[in-house]
Amino acid sequence: DSSLLTRIYQATHTGKSLVFVNSRARAEQIVAGLQALAEEEKRPGHYYVHHGSISKEYRLAAEEAMRRPHQPACTVATVTLELGIDLGHLDRVVQVNAPGSVSSFVQRIGRTGRRGQVGEVLILTERGAAGDDDHPLTRIPWDLLRAVASVELYRAEKWVEPVTPPELPLSLLYHQTLSILVQRGDLAPKALAEQVLGMPTLARVGKERYQAFLNHLLREKHLEWTEIKTLLVGEAAEKIVNHYEFLATFEDPNEFRVIAGSRTVGTLPSPPPANTQIRLAGRSWSVVDVDAKRRTILVKPARGKATTTWLGEGPPLHERVAKRMRELLGEETIPVFLDERAEAELLDARRLARELGVLEREVFVDEMGTLIVPWAGTLAYRRLRLHLSAALGQGSVREVLPPHALLVAGDARAALAQEISLAALAAAVRRDELDDLGKYARYAPEGL
């Protein structure tokens, strides 16, 4: 980690730079390290952080510093600075580890080289040292492969991930159904269906599934019949539609607000213990008090080490990128944009892939169980995990290297030969995971 920070520092201590990372926790971690290096060298601190969990005041300070001419500035950011905010001229963009998507990579490289200048984009990948008990697969530099595959797909084919709208946007379906009834008062089912299913985003729902949806809302008292057989908002939905947050289609996370004096620093998903130190907005803070009822965390400035953690999976891997990663291992040519260390890593990965046989097959059965390397991206990986858990029982599947490899207890070849059942997949998903489908998906019937 220290060599990574040193490399970033060398690239960013002069001029104007953006450092992109894939998580808020990593952004805070890296900006802390860069600020410490700047202090050691007695250089003026010009490092900032920019992500969705810090207050507008601190984000604007970072943006303003980036716009000041003739003064060095560097901001460590997540997706919040990919597009839409004018930062003026940038000398370079640094990407730490593989970008979350090819589309994201294109947005980030588009930040540099404007106004007729030649831009510089530096991608730095890292991988932890494999332990004695780790599977040999962990020695493959997966992040390097993903970064190279992303760059290659765009350079060679101008390919980016297609936008695929969900077939059943259940949260939006609920939101629009209730919104129309709030606006109109009441409507006949046919007229309501024509309005809702007439929206391009909801057209694929279809009349049959929408009827099942309405029947479920009637049973749950989110809808009610009038005497003239029209539908109106039911008793169970009145609190929902009358709440000030109803019009927002996206979930507003109920996070804790971090306050220093009279200023809001940002938000955290959960409260840290009192008398500990946290890292937020590129600074260290000592936790003075936590008010669970008001969901506030009172802090004061502090010095020294601190941690801030946001939970969540990494960015999803598209199946086309996964396929290109596998192709890279089977090729002999070296991409022209790799430096000597990256070239050596790629050559070593190709040798290891040949030794392990991961280019010839996806399923390996030995005394440890069944190792599966699907090369199919995050969506297929999740489906496979759910299918095997449903077929073989909870606890039988271990994610040794998500989204690249699964380890199953025993011989799983019979389960792999079975057709994947949508019903079994649905049963394997816990009800509270429906929140991932949107703010109002929890009110949809189980069958949908």
Side-chain angles (χ1 to χ4, degrees):
D1 200 58
S2 61
S3 61
L4 174 74
L5 282 171
T6 302
R7 186 68 186 88
I8 297 172
Y9 183 76
Q10 290 169 347
T12 60
H13 72 268
T14 60
K16 290 282 200 292
S17 307
L18 274 181
V19 178
F20 281 109
V21 295
N22 295 325
S23 73
R24 293 167 290 180
R26 197 74 175 114
E28 294 285 353
Q29 215 175 29
I30 286 177
V31 80
L34 294 174
Q35 288 169 343
L37 286 174
E39 285 181 19
E40 283 176 22
E41 297 204 357
K42 295 184 170 49
R43 294 177 182 267
H46 59 269
Y47 287 97
Y48 302 84
V49 67
H50 197 290
H51 57 72
S53 287
I54 63 176
S55 69
K56 184 178 179 181
E57 179 184 352
Y58 285 92
R59 293 199 303 270
L60 289 176
E63 294 164 22
E64 185 59 35
M66 297 298 290
R67 293 191 194 101
R68 284 189 209 114
H70 315 303
Q71 290 187 28
C74 173
T75 296
V76 185
T78 58
V79 295
T80 55
L81 281 185
E82 272 186 9
L83 71 168
I85 299 172
D86 183 16
L87 299 178
H89 170 74
L90 285 176
D91 295 292
R92 66 194 60 84
V93 166
V94 179
Q95 168 69 47
V96 178
N97 288 325
S101 65
V102 179
S103 174
S104 183
F105 169 68
V106 173
Q107 295 289 355
R108 293 174 183 190
I109 62 173
R111 276 301 195 177
T112 188
R114 296 182 177 184
R115 300 174 186 172
Q117 301 292 320
V118 176
E120 178 186 329
V121 180
L122 175 65
I123 302 178
L124 300 171
T125 66
E126 57 182 339
R127 62 183 173 117
D132 294 338
D133 298 329
D134 289 340
H135 194 277
L137 271 177
T138 60
R139 302 207 306 271
I140 291 179
W142 295 98
D143 220 67
L144 173 67
L145 286 177
R146 182 169 179 171
V148 174
S150 298
V151 176
E152 287 275 84
L153 283 168
Y154 187 67
R155 286 180 75 242
E157 306 173 24
K158 291 294 183 282
W159 181 89
V160 295
E161 293 84 357
V163 177
T164 308
E167 184 173 342
L168 275 177
L170 296 173
S171 180
L172 191 63
L173 189 65
Y174 180 91
H175 183 269
Q176 290 302 295
T177 297
L178 273 292
S179 293
I180 289 169
L181 289 177
V182 168
Q183 180 187 5
R184 299 292 297 273
D186 66 293
L187 274 177
K190 183 180 179 182
L192 179 61
E194 286 174 354
Q195 281 205 41
V196 172
L197 302 183
M199 301 177 194
T201 312
L202 299 173
R204 296 165 67 189
V205 173
K207 293 180 180 179
E208 188 175 327
R209 288 192 290 200
Y210 190 54
Q211 184 177 357
F213 181 76
L214 292 179
N215 286 336
H216 174 75
L217 295 186
L218 282 163
R219 285 193 298 272
E220 297 297 315
K221 300 190 185 308
H222 285 251
L223 295 179
E224 292 178 7
W225 289 112
T226 66
E227 293 179 357
I228 57 172
K229 287 299 177 184
T230 57
L231 294 171
L232 78 166
V233 175
E235 181 184 352
E238 283 180 358
K239 285 185 179 179
I240 298 169
V241 300
N242 290 328
H243 195 275
Y244 70 93
E245 289 185 345
F246 174 66
L247 289 179
T249 55
F250 296 104
E251 190 82 72
D252 183 19
N254 195 14
E255 296 189 322
F256 282 74
R257 197 156 55 101
V258 181
I259 301 170
S262 60
R263 302 164 69 186
T264 297
V265 180
T267 59
L268 289 177
S270 58
N275 302 315
T276 57
Q277 286 191 193
I278 62 172
R279 187 86 192 170
L280 188 61
R283 305 180 186 191
S284 290
W285 307 93
S286 178
V287 178
V288 177
D289 185 51
V290 175
D291 189 328
K293 188 175 180 180
R294 291 186 174 88
R295 301 189 75 80
T296 56
I297 303 166
L298 300 182
V299 297
K300 63 181 180 181
R303 294 186 65 83
K305 288 189 176 181
T307 58
T308 305
T309 304
W310 288 268
L311 300 177
E313 294 184 352
L317 176 69
H318 192 277
E319 59 182 325
R320 181 71 185 88
V321 180
K323 181 182 177 184
R324 185 71 189 102
M325 290 168 65
R326 187 178 194 176
E327 291 168 354
L328 280 168
L329 288 176
E331 295 172 354
E332 295 184 1
T333 56
I334 301 292
V336 296
F337 50 84
L338 297 187
D339 68 5
E340 290 183 5
R341 286 185 64 183
E343 182 178 334
E345 284 270 286
L346 180 57
L347 290 172
D348 190 52
R350 287 172 173 173
R351 177 192 58 76
L352 188 59
R354 288 193 298 271
E355 290 176 3
L356 297 175
V358 293
L359 300 180
E360 288 75 42
R361 54 197 178 116
E362 293 85 28
V363 181
F364 304 81
V365 182
D366 58 24
E367 66 278 359
M368 291 179 64
T370 305
L371 182 74
I372 306 160
V373 188
W375 301 103
T378 300
L379 181 59
Y381 178 88
R382 287 175 180 165
R383 286 176 176 163
L384 184 61
R385 173 174 55 79
L386 287 170
H387 166 67
L388 292 170
S389 294
L392 301 171
Q394 291 293 330
S396 59
V397 181
R398 187 158 65 91
E399 299 185 68
V400 290
L401 209 61
H404 306 296
L406 288 166
L407 184 63
V408 186
D411 190 337
R413 283 175 292 190
L416 285 170
Q418 297 173 15
E419 183 176 341
I420 290 182
S421 160
L422 285 176
L425 287 187
V429 178
R430 297 194 310 275
R431 184 73 187 176
D432 57 8
E433 288 179 349
L434 282 174
D435 287 348
D436 292 341
L437 299 178
K439 186 174 179 180
Y440 301 110
R442 70 196 76 162
Y443 302 124
E446 193 92 24
L448 295 186

